[in-house]
Amino acid sequence: MTKIVIVGGVAGGASAAARARRLSENAEIIMFERGPFVSFANCGLPYHIGGEITDRSKLLLQTPASFRARFNVDVRVMSEVISIDRTNKSVTVTNLKDGSDYTEHYDYLLLSPGAAPFVPSIPGINNPLTHSLRNIPDMDKILQTLQVNNVEHATVVGGGFIGLEMMEAFTHLGIKTTLLELADQVMSPVDREMAGFVHSEIQAKGVDLRLGTALTAVEYVTDNYIATEEAGETIAHQHINGHLQLLLSNNQTLNTDMLIMAIGVRPETSLAEQAGLKLGTRGGIFTTPTMQTSDPFIYAVGDAVEQSDFVTGKASLVPLAGPANRQGRMAADNMLGGSASYQGTQGTAICKVFDLAVASTGKNERQLQQEAMQYEKVYVHSASHASYYPGAEIVSLKLLFSLTDGSILGAQAVGKDGVDKRIDVIAVAQRAGMTIEQLQHLELTYAPPYGSAKDVVNQAAFVANNILSGLTQPIHFHQLDELNNDQLLLDVRSPGELERVGFIDGSINIPVDQLRQRMAELPKDKEIIVICQVGLRGHVAQRQLVNRGYRARNLIGGYKTYAAATQ
Amino acid sequence: MTKIVIVGGVAGGASAAARARRLSENAEIIMFERGPFVSFANCGLPYHIGGEITDRSKLLLQTPASFRARFNVDVRVMSEVISIDRTNKSVTVTNLKDGSDYTEHYDYLLLSPGAAPFVPSIPGINNPLTHSLRNIPDMDKILQTLQVNNVEHATVVGGGFIGLEMMEAFTHLGIKTTLLELADQVMSPVDREMAGFVHSEIQAKGVDLRLGTALTAVEYVTDNYIATEEAGETIAHQHINGHLQLLLSNNQTLNTDMLIMAIGVRPETSLAEQAGLKLGTRGGIFTTPTMQTSDPFIYAVGDAVEQSDFVTGKASLVPLAGPANRQGRMAADNMLGGSASYQGTQGTAICKVFDLAVASTGKNERQLQQEAMQYEKVYVHSASHASYYPGAEIVSLKLLFSLTDGSILGAQAVGKDGVDKRIDVIAVAQRAGMTIEQLQHLELTYAPPYGSAKDVVNQAAFVANNILSGLTQPIHFHQLDELNNDQLLLDVRSPGELERVGFIDGSINIPVDQLRQRMAELPKDKEIIVICQVGLRGHVAQRQLVNRGYRARNLIGGYKTYAAATQ
């Protein structure tokens, strides 16, 4: 009878426990969880705070009792595994309810400890109005602060997934919100110009977005409110009441009623490290593709482990629920005699930011540059479904690919509709090893309410292949700042569009449909840089020019991409 | 200078003309269109009739003038190509405005004539109140009938894409509608049990759905309304006024104010046939993968040509916009020296039916049986996004795969949200040659508003792999009618569910969470057929039983699939 001990009862751990039981009725399965809850919906926490998920109990997908009833798993909450004795194959557990310790033997141990919010040691950061958000107790503390303190203004530090979701939650609650982000953009999985769309949305919704700004000190100011103990008020109540004065890296100060620290997470490796398990180069627990650690009787999954990057093959830390769940399932298979093998992480992710979705898969341009990988890129801005059918929204898609073998390196998309679908489609194609050439042939669902006969993804592939085949000579938005005297900007949009949307100073305007008649106005000795709104008319114009003997390049993604980069 | 002549100015023809011009500024391009419009949104026609697309001009994506201005294409509408002289490489054209004929030489000819609605020769079918819908003039006639006749009841014959869309359009207009379908299901790309969900939706929206019913005769009854010519009324007006008496195959009669014939389309091959071009086995124009006909100077694309089926490699007729558009683009490439190659049609399609979407890709079960192909199938019914986040809807997904090599044979999905995405994901995976094993590893976008950590597609792959690996012994809904005395039905849902949702007579009820305690109630000498709502708890129960030495099979897709098959 195999005895499986699991450390951590959320995504990876709970998946492993359930799968192990389905594989074996005889295995003894014990799942330790340090907190009071198992298998809760950690991705849903910001939405309960914001009021979209009204029923708190919906976040509790399983209880220890329900888990035991269905899967006969011995779930022990408030139980922290504090050490591993690999020689004797046992763990020491502290019962957090009474402080007692005991040991438990294992045949196989699974570590699924997750990753903890990283809170830097900023002066004054430890105060009752500063929170991070990882689990149900954290959420409850935030809700309590909202109830007890009169929160009119909240500050969120960090523009990643949780930071953005908390920003949205506060805004939904009618709380004026400031978002501080050290980098020059939010949502680091996408590149700066794609984040520009998100910045516009955040500002349009009234959030005070401060990029390039760090938090340097916090002062907790009590508002001299004295708790009336006779009326049932407690000292704790009194302590929470107050506000924070934040000092920022630009020497500005900011008064706020509540502070959320969401700058990122770090893998919880102390237990593994103390047990002498190998850590990887990025500081996570090392595992083989079978999810085995350096000790073959100990497996590890989820946010605490280093995962192989699907594109580069290098170690990476990707704290996402999908990989954690699938890894847990595989670890269970392998502990019970199977041979499941994890096949790398693309980092496919999505975040809702008010009315926008922003999503990505694979590598972004910054990462490709860091890896010194050769790439080319295209942008399209195309309707989420037939533009003549009500409700169509623009999907802005960036596709990164190899010029040498046409492989898909990464993709990013932003928009109000159909963003998840396009990134999913490209994520599948990338995982399958499809090339940009093959991406043209994708046959996707089309009816006017759902798509277009030439889908956004087909269109991006068309543009990419036009570059690969030499039909399009591309120029990118960031190259417009480096033009020389032998180059000339030609805007082929209509004069009305230029006025309404904006244009680049110094460009000549000839609408695309007049270009054949007016081509003689253009000098043959200069390279013509063609600009339109999204790149489509520019392509038509650039082909005309090249076919008539001009040198011409098309601004990929058009003025819309250029403008987003400055937002 | 290459001279390209194109017959047909909609999807394939218009795509080819635009692409050809982008490739070559020198080519002479003439596009003939029999009707008055080019490049119109034929997929949008039902939605303009139903009032969702209010602005008729939105359906006209290009006009002859705009096409000429942008692409310098000589667009000639109301111009029917009536014959091809292959020896002299010329076509004879009738100018439908004045009846004159003339010839036009070509270097390359592209046929994109489309497919015409098939209207069987039913007695009385030719009357002013009977229409089919292919183009803008057809749409205008239907709108005119709606305006002039007092249409309180409409009848649609045929439950395919156009039939369903017209049924919805009439219902939106407040017109009581009857849908007649000869087969025992609508939406033939999906199998009968998946169509069951659509039948429920159609009936819930008040449509009189009559399956297994054909139209056998039509009588046009004028309502004795005399046109008052003095008041400006015309004879034509008088003629349109009236109603139809329909005779049905079950000998019932039905009075209706308007009849739409939408039983299907047939490729327009008369021009190709008359010119001696090879037709294929299915009656469409034969082409090579380069879209060349049997005459290397003549290309053909779209609904009129036979396409290679992606799964079987056999010839098929697939009248869909996506393939037509991409083929047109390829034909242009090849006429101008390229070497693009069409890579087969999966038939990926989707249809909106009121609040539902129904979609499919690849082969369905009927087709696999006709091809005598070995297959297995799974059903899952899973939330379109995290069930705890508002707005989640069930996606019912059927996945067909090969038991021998795990290849994906086809997929079908029905639901109110996220149906297009799941079929797109599987369509990409199928085209990429991914197996069911690889489908487990798909890394799709997940955040509570968009998906689940284990997506619907991952889940279907898990179930399929459990079957492939022998972990699950499946049984399917249609096999429940063939049980013998050695088999016993065990329903593991809660008693409340059985009462609320329904159950199969003769089944024993032990809720899954009580099964371990009560297993002794079950006989060891019988095979236990486990039933739950969607198949998930059934899997847990079936594994318990097998691990305890019982023989057990799980009803794949659960009671929900079983019930849909009878809807």
Side-chain angles (χ1 to χ4, degrees):
Chain A
M1 194 176 79
T2 306
K3 183 169 173 181
I4 295 173
V5 167
I6 297 172
V7 179
V10 198
S15 288
R19 174 73 171 176
R21 176 57 72 222
R22 292 195 299 266
L23 294 173
S24 165
E25 193 61 19
N26 294 325
E28 184 182 354
I29 307 172
I30 305 175
M31 187 163 79
F32 292 109
E33 167 58 43
R34 186 166 47 185
F37 302 102
V38 291
S39 199
F40 61 89
N42 41 10
C43 302
L45 304 179
Y47 298 103
H48 181 54
I49 295 170
E52 276 135 320
I53 299 169
T54 50
D55 185 356
R56 180 176 179 280
S57 69
K58 280 199 176 177
L59 300 173
L60 303 170
L61 307 177
Q62 296 275 0
T63 64
S66 72
F67 220 89
R68 175 184 281 277
R70 182 149 307 171
F71 297 111
N72 190 26
V73 170
D74 182 354
V75 179
R76 303 187 195 168
V77 295
M78 301 302 285
S79 299
E80 181 166 13
V81 174
I82 56 167
S83 67
I84 304 169
D85 179 347
R86 288 168 51 193
T87 311
N88 292 308
K89 295 174 78 173
S90 71
V91 293
T92 302
V93 187
T94 300
N95 180 338
L96 297 175
K97 284 173 278 190
D98 61 14
S100 63
D101 286 355
Y102 61 99
T103 62
E104 195 71 60
H105 168 261
Y106 64 80
D107 293 319
Y108 288 104
L109 178 65
L110 175 65
L111 303 179
S112 180
F118 172 64
V119 179
S121 54
I122 293 167
I125 196 76
N126 291 315
N127 64 67
L129 298 178
T130 297
H131 301 281
S132 53
L133 179 59
R134 181 189 190 183
N135 50 36
I136 301 252
D138 292 342
M139 178 186 78
D140 288 342
K141 278 182 221 153
I142 291 170
L143 287 169
Q144 198 193 15
T145 300
L146 287 169
Q147 272 185 336
V148 172
N149 212 30
N150 180 25
V151 178
E152 292 177 355
H153 183 276
T155 300
V156 177
V157 180
F161 297 99
I162 293 173
L164 292 169
E165 288 166 356
M166 282 308 301
M167 166 199 76
E168 184 171 341
F170 286 132
T171 307
H172 275 197
L173 293 172
I175 296 169
K176 187 93 187 114
T177 304
T178 295
L179 178 63
L180 302 178
E181 168 57 56
L182 179 61
D184 64 349
Q185 66 165 90
V186 301
M187 192 67 192
S188 66
V190 305
D191 290 310
R192 174 65 184 78
E193 73 281 13
M194 299 300 283
F197 296 105
V198 185
H199 299 160
S200 297
E201 176 73 3
I202 290 173
Q203 286 164 333
K205 289 293 190 291
V207 171
D208 170 29
L209 172 65
R210 305 200 191 179
L211 298 173
T213 308
L215 176 67
T216 54
V218 182
E219 190 184 349
Y220 174 43
V221 184
T222 55
D223 287 347
N224 293 325
Y225 176 87
I226 306 299
T228 315
E229 291 188 63
E230 297 80 2
E233 290 178 358
T234 66
I235 299 294
H237 179 178
Q238 175 178 309
H239 273 192
I240 280 172
N241 212 272
H243 75 272
L244 301 176
Q245 198 169 66
L246 308 183
L247 183 64
L248 309 183
S249 54
N250 56 11
N251 284 323
Q252 293 181 333
T253 58
L254 177 67
N255 284 324
T256 196
D257 300 312
M258 186 169 186
L259 179 63
I260 302 289
M261 295 301 293
I263 63 171
V265 297
R266 293 208 172 161
E268 292 231 21
T269 56
S270 53
L271 185 63
E273 215 170 345
Q274 179 214 59
L277 295 178
K278 180 179 168 186
L279 298 192
T281 51
R282 306 290 301 273
I285 303 172
F286 167 85
T287 65
T288 66
T290 61
M291 307 318 298
Q292 261 172 327
T293 66
S294 53
D295 179 330
F297 299 101
I298 305 180
Y299 288 75
V301 300
D303 296 359
V305 309
E306 285 192 0
Q307 308 175 12
S308 166
D309 182 87
F310 186 82
V311 176
T312 64
K314 295 186 180 176
S316 63
L317 292 170
V318 185
L320 289 170
N325 275 281
R326 289 195 304 281
Q327 289 165 6
R329 204 169 180 274
M330 286 179 184
D333 283 353
N334 293 341
M335 289 189 289
L336 290 165
S339 58
S341 181
Y342 189 70
Q343 302 181 357
T345 298
Q346 294 163 285
T348 311
I350 190 165
C351 189
K352 179 178 180 302
V353 184
F354 298 112
D355 299 338
L356 282 187
V358 50
S360 64
T361 192
K363 299 280 98 178
N364 64 32
E365 194 171 350
R366 282 192 319 281
Q367 291 165 331
L368 293 171
Q369 285 169 351
Q370 281 160 15
E371 299 283 340
M373 288 174 75
Q374 296 297 309
Y375 65 90
E376 182 52 277
K377 59 180 174 176
V378 296
Y379 302 86
V380 291
H381 307 277
S382 192
S384 59
H385 62 241
S387 54
Y388 54 80
Y389 188 87
E393 300 283 356
I394 296 295
V395 177
S396 293
L397 177 68
K398 176 180 186 176
L399 179 63
L400 292 148
F401 57 98
S402 161
L403 274 174
T404 47
D405 62 9
S407 61
I408 301 166
L409 299 174
Q412 303 161 35
V414 184
K416 294 185 179 177
D417 180 46
V419 164
D420 53 340
K421 179 165 79 170
R422 272 59 183 217
I423 292 299
D424 282 354
V425 159
I426 296 175
V428 178
Q430 179 178 49
R431 186 163 281 271
M434 279 183 143
T435 63
I436 292 294
E437 199 280 324
Q438 293 173 298
L439 213 56
Q440 296 180 103
H441 303 291
L442 291 186
E443 198 187 322
L444 304 172
T445 52
Y446 162 56
Y450 305 104
S452 296
K454 291 168 187 158
D455 187 78
V456 184
V457 177
N458 296 126
Q459 290 184 34
F462 291 157
V463 179
N465 280 282
N466 283 339
I467 293 175
L468 277 184
S469 70
L471 203 63
T472 294
Q473 286 78 47
I475 190 165
H476 290 296
F477 68 92
H478 43 81
Q479 297 173 307
L480 294 190
D481 302 332
E482 310 153 9
L483 296 187
N484 58 43
N485 284 336
D486 286 336
Q487 294 173 307
L488 180 143
L489 290 173
L490 170 68
D491 197 315
V492 298
R493 294 175 293 171
S494 68
E497 271 178 287
L498 267 67
E499 202 171 321
R500 204 170 60 247
V501 183
F503 57 94
I504 298 171
D505 272 342
S507 50
I508 294 173
N509 179 222
I510 303 179
V512 60
D513 291 348
Q514 299 174 14
L515 184 58
R516 274 190 192 84
Q517 286 69 45
R518 295 176 56 184
M519 208 175 281
E521 295 175 26
L522 297 170
K524 276 234 169 180
D525 60 338
K526 296 208 174 190
E527 184 179 61
I528 316 282
I529 308 300
V530 185
I531 299 171
C532 74
Q533 183 60 18
V534 299
L536 196 57
R537 283 170 292 175
H539 174 53
V540 172
Q542 184 249 354
R543 290 301 308 157
Q544 275 183 39
L545 289 163
V546 169
N547 284 330
R548 292 279 187 91
Y550 286 81
R551 284 180 300 131
R553 296 166 76 184
N554 183 30
L555 177 62
I556 303 298
Y559 185 83
K560 192 174 176 76
T561 304
Y562 176 86
T566 60
Q567 279 168 343
Chain B
M1 194 176 79
T2 306
K3 182 168 174 181
I4 294 174
V5 167
I6 298 172
V7 179
V10 197
S15 289
R19 174 72 171 175
R21 176 57 70 222
R22 292 194 300 266
L23 294 173
S24 164
E25 193 61 19
N26 294 324
E28 183 182 355
I29 306 172
I30 305 175
M31 186 163 79
F32 292 109
E33 167 58 43
R34 190 168 43 186
F37 302 103
V38 292
S39 200
F40 61 90
N42 40 10
C43 303
L45 304 179
Y47 298 103
H48 181 55
I49 295 171
E52 277 135 319
I53 299 169
T54 49
D55 185 356
R56 180 175 179 280
S57 69
K58 281 200 174 175
L59 300 173
L60 303 171
L61 308 177
Q62 295 276 359
T63 63
S66 72
F67 219 89
R68 175 183 282 277
R70 181 149 308 170
F71 297 111
N72 190 26
V73 170
D74 182 355
V75 179
R76 302 187 196 168
V77 294
M78 301 300 286
S79 299
E80 180 165 13
V81 174
I82 56 166
S83 67
I84 305 169
D85 179 348
R86 290 167 50 193
T87 311
N88 292 308
K89 295 175 78 175
S90 71
V91 293
T92 302
V93 187
T94 300
N95 180 337
L96 297 175
K97 284 173 278 190
D98 61 13
S100 64
D101 286 355
Y102 61 99
T103 63
E104 196 70 60
H105 169 263
Y106 64 79
D107 293 318
Y108 288 104
L109 178 65
L110 174 66
L111 302 179
S112 180
F118 172 63
V119 179
S121 55
I122 292 167
I125 197 76
N126 291 314
N127 64 68
L129 297 178
T130 297
H131 301 280
S132 53
L133 179 60
R134 181 190 189 181
N135 50 36
I136 301 253
D138 291 342
M139 178 187 78
D140 289 341
K141 277 182 222 154
I142 291 171
L143 288 170
Q144 195 193 18
T145 300
L146 287 169
Q147 271 186 336
V148 173
N149 211 31
N150 181 25
V151 177
E152 291 178 353
H153 181 278
T155 300
V156 176
V157 181
F161 297 98
I162 294 174
L164 292 168
E165 288 166 357
M166 282 307 302
M167 167 199 76
E168 185 171 340
F170 285 133
T171 307
H172 275 197
L173 293 172
I175 296 169
K176 187 91 187 113
T177 304
T178 294
L179 178 63
L180 302 178
E181 168 58 56
L182 180 59
D184 65 347
Q185 66 165 91
V186 302
M187 192 68 190
S188 65
V190 305
D191 290 310
R192 175 66 185 79
E193 73 281 13
M194 298 301 283
F197 296 106
V198 184
H199 299 160
S200 296
E201 175 74 2
I202 290 172
Q203 286 165 333
K205 289 294 190 291
V207 172
D208 170 30
L209 172 64
R210 305 199 192 179
L211 299 172
T213 308
L215 177 67
T216 54
V218 182
E219 191 184 349
Y220 174 44
V221 184
T222 55
D223 286 347
N224 294 323
Y225 175 88
I226 307 300
T228 314
E229 291 187 63
E230 296 81 1
E233 290 178 359
T234 65
I235 300 295
H237 179 178
Q238 176 176 312
H239 274 191
I240 280 170
N241 213 269
H243 76 272
L244 301 176
Q245 198 170 65
L246 308 182
L247 183 64
L248 309 183
S249 55
N250 56 10
N251 284 320
Q252 291 180 333
T253 58
L254 177 68
N255 284 323
T256 196
D257 300 314
M258 188 170 184
L259 178 63
I260 302 288
M261 294 302 293
I263 63 171
V265 297
R266 293 208 171 161
E268 292 231 21
T269 56
S270 53
L271 186 64
E273 215 171 345
Q274 181 215 57
L277 297 178
K278 181 179 167 185
L279 298 193
T281 51
R282 306 290 303 272
I285 302 172
F286 167 85
T287 65
T288 66
T290 60
M291 307 319 297
Q292 260 173 329
T293 67
S294 53
D295 180 330
F297 299 101
I298 305 180
Y299 288 74
V301 299
D303 296 359
V305 310
E306 286 192 1
Q307 307 176 12
S308 167
D309 181 87
F310 186 82
V311 176
T312 64
K314 295 185 180 177
S316 63
L317 292 169
V318 185
L320 289 170
N325 276 280
R326 290 194 304 282
Q327 289 165 6
R329 203 169 181 275
M330 288 180 182
D333 283 354
N334 293 341
M335 288 189 290
L336 290 165
S339 58
S341 182
Y342 189 69
Q343 302 181 357
T345 299
Q346 293 164 285
T348 311
I350 190 165
C351 189
K352 177 178 182 302
V353 184
F354 297 112
D355 299 339
L356 283 186
V358 50
S360 65
T361 191
K363 300 279 98 178
N364 64 32
E365 194 171 350
R366 283 193 319 282
Q367 291 165 331
L368 292 171
Q369 286 170 351
Q370 282 160 13
E371 299 281 341
M373 288 175 75
Q374 297 297 308
Y375 65 89
E376 182 53 277
K377 59 180 175 178
V378 296
Y379 302 86
V380 292
H381 306 277
S382 193
S384 58
H385 62 243
S387 54
Y388 54 79
Y389 187 88
E393 300 284 354
I394 296 294
V395 177
S396 293
L397 177 68
K398 176 179 186 176
L399 179 63
L400 292 148
F401 57 98
S402 162
L403 274 174
T404 46
D405 61 8
S407 61
I408 300 166
L409 299 175
Q412 303 160 35
V414 184
K416 293 184 179 176
D417 180 47
V419 163
D420 52 340
K421 179 164 78 169
R422 273 58 184 218
I423 292 300
D424 282 354
V425 160
I426 297 177
V428 178
Q430 178 177 51
R431 185 163 283 270
M434 280 184 142
T435 63
I436 292 294
E437 199 281 324
Q438 293 173 298
L439 213 56
Q440 294 179 106
H441 303 291
L442 292 186
E443 198 186 323
L444 304 172
T445 52
Y446 163 56
Y450 306 104
S452 296
K454 291 167 185 157
D455 187 79
V456 184
V457 177
N458 296 126
Q459 290 184 34
F462 291 156
V463 179
N465 281 282
N466 284 339
I467 294 175
L468 277 184
S469 69
L471 203 63
T472 294
Q473 287 77 46
I475 189 165
H476 291 295
F477 68 92
H478 43 81
Q479 297 174 305
L480 294 189
D481 301 332
E482 310 153 7
L483 296 187
N484 59 44
N485 284 336
D486 287 336
Q487 294 172 306
L488 180 143
L489 291 173
L490 170 68
D491 197 315
V492 298
R493 294 175 294 171
S494 68
E497 272 178 287
L498 267 66
E499 202 173 321
R500 205 170 57 247
V501 183
F503 57 94
I504 298 171
D505 271 343
S507 51
I508 294 173
N509 178 221
I510 303 179
V512 61
D513 291 347
Q514 299 175 14
L515 185 59
R516 275 190 190 83
Q517 287 68 45
R518 294 176 57 185
M519 208 175 280
E521 295 175 28
L522 297 171
K524 276 235 168 178
D525 61 339
K526 295 206 175 192
E527 183 178 62
I528 316 284
I529 308 301
V530 186
I531 299 171
C532 74
Q533 185 60 19
V534 299
L536 196 57
R537 285 171 290 175
H539 174 53
V540 173
Q542 185 249 353
R543 291 300 308 156
Q544 275 184 39
L545 288 163
V546 169
N547 284 332
R548 293 279 186 90
Y550 287 81
R551 285 180 299 132
R553 296 166 76 184
N554 183 30
L555 176 62
I556 303 298
Y559 186 81
K560 192 174 176 76
T561 304
Y562 175 87
T566 60
Q567 280 169 341

